[in-house]
Every structure is written in structure tokens, then in C-alpha cells.
Amino acid sequence: MRWSLLIPYLMMTGFALTSASSCADVLANCYKEAENRVQVRQCLQKELEATQREYLSVLDRVSKEVSAIEQAADGLQKRKKAGAMQPNAVSRTFSNSNKAFDAYMKQQCAFEAMAMEPDTGAGNQRMACQITLLRLRMGALNSFIPTDVSSSSRR
């Protein structure tokens, strides 16, 4: 057996298990706080709105970092008089990755909701899925934000 072919599968399985356990955690927390299904939904809605606001903040900070990277690269290329990087290439790639993530999240969370039995909280599952995936994405994006607030570009 070729292990190199198995690695992507194992990585996706790990992601799926992480995602599923995180969804379960989000749902479990709301079930602990709520007395009925309406309150569970309200809890999830509140958590989703807070997570979306935080996600937009992270996107804004990464966008600023991307601009700084492009400005630094542009200055370096002008000094070298070589056009190795197309203008706005990093911004375009970041924008494309955001669109791809949004499409993935929409489809993945629709799948998870549809996989639920009727009348078992498919809408709640969809919101929990969105919360989980947004948090995972924020974790990945945070690595592009300098921890030193006074810094204006990547180290």
C-alpha cells in the first residue's frame, strides 16, 4: 500500500472528526444553557452572530497584512527592477481562498443539516457547523496576523 495516498485521507478524517466534535461541543453548550429547543436555537444564533463578527474582524486584519506584504514586495521589485510578483496577486489569492471557503462552508453545512433525521434540529446543526468552520478558518488565518500590535507587516 502506498502511504502517500493514505495521508490525505487521514488528514480529512482528522478534520472531519475535529469538525464533528466541535459541532457537538457548540450544540452541547447551548443545550446546557437552554430549557427548550427555541432557546437552543437562540443560543446558537447568538453564538453564530458573535463568531461571524469575529471572523469579519480577522478577515479585515489579514487584508491589512496582505496589503503590507504587497507594498513590501512592490518596493523590493522596484529596487530589483524585476516583475516576479504580479500586482495584487496576494490580494486576489486571498479573495479567491475566501470565496472557496464560503462555498465549502455553505455546502458542508447544508450536507450536515440534510443528513439529520427530519425534525431533529437540522437548522441547529447547520448553525453549529457554521460556527465550527468559521472558528477553524479563523485559527488558520490568525497565523498571518502579527502578534506584535506595533508591527505593520509580517516578520
Side-chain angles (χ1 to χ4, degrees):
M1 171 182 257
R2 293 184 53 171
W3 287 104
S4 62
L5 297 175
L6 189 58
I7 290 172
Y9 171 76
L10 293 174
M11 289 174 63
M12 287 305 292
T13 303
F15 175 77
L17 292 175
T18 301
S19 178
S21 97
S22 296
C23 280
D25 292 345
V26 170
L27 284 168
N29 288 339
C30 283
Y31 274 106
K32 283 180 194 173
E33 296 176 16
E35 294 179 19
N36 57 51
R37 288 175 70 168
V38 171
Q39 289 178 348
V40 170
R41 184 166 188 76
Q42 291 169 342
C43 173
L44 287 168
Q45 186 63 45
K46 181 180 169 185
E47 189 64 33
L48 178 58
E49 289 168 2
T51 304
Q52 288 171 328
R53 281 191 302 276
E54 186 180 354
Y55 178 65
L56 291 175
S57 174
V58 169
L59 287 180
D60 183 56
R61 288 182 286 167
V62 172
S63 288
K64 289 176 183 171
E65 203 52 33
V66 164
S67 293
I69 291 167
E70 288 180 331
Q71 287 175 353
D74 187 45
L76 181 62
Q77 288 174 359
K78 285 179 182 174
R79 285 193 297 273
K80 289 185 174 183
K81 295 187 179 14
M85 189 168 87
Q86 295 179 3
N88 302 321
V90 180
S91 293
R92 276 194 312 276
T93 303
F94 180 57
S95 176
N96 290 341
S97 73
N98 290 333
K99 289 175 188 172
F101 171 77
D102 290 344
Y104 167 74
M105 182 172 64
K106 181 179 179 181
Q107 292 301 312
Q108 178 64 27
C109 295
F111 162 71
E112 289 186 23
M114 291 174 143
M116 300 283 296
E117 293 288 327
D119 298 327
T120 59
N124 290 349
Q125 180 63 34
R126 182 186 307 266
M127 284 191 283
C129 172
Q130 290 171 328
I131 293 164
T132 300
L133 292 179
L134 287 170
R135 287 177 179 171
L136 287 170
R137 174 84 167 142
M138 285 188 289
L141 291 175
N142 276 325
S143 67
F144 295 99
I145 301 171
T147 53
D148 180 8
V149 178
S150 66
S151 175
S152 63
S153 65
R154 288 180 67 183
R155 297 171 284 280

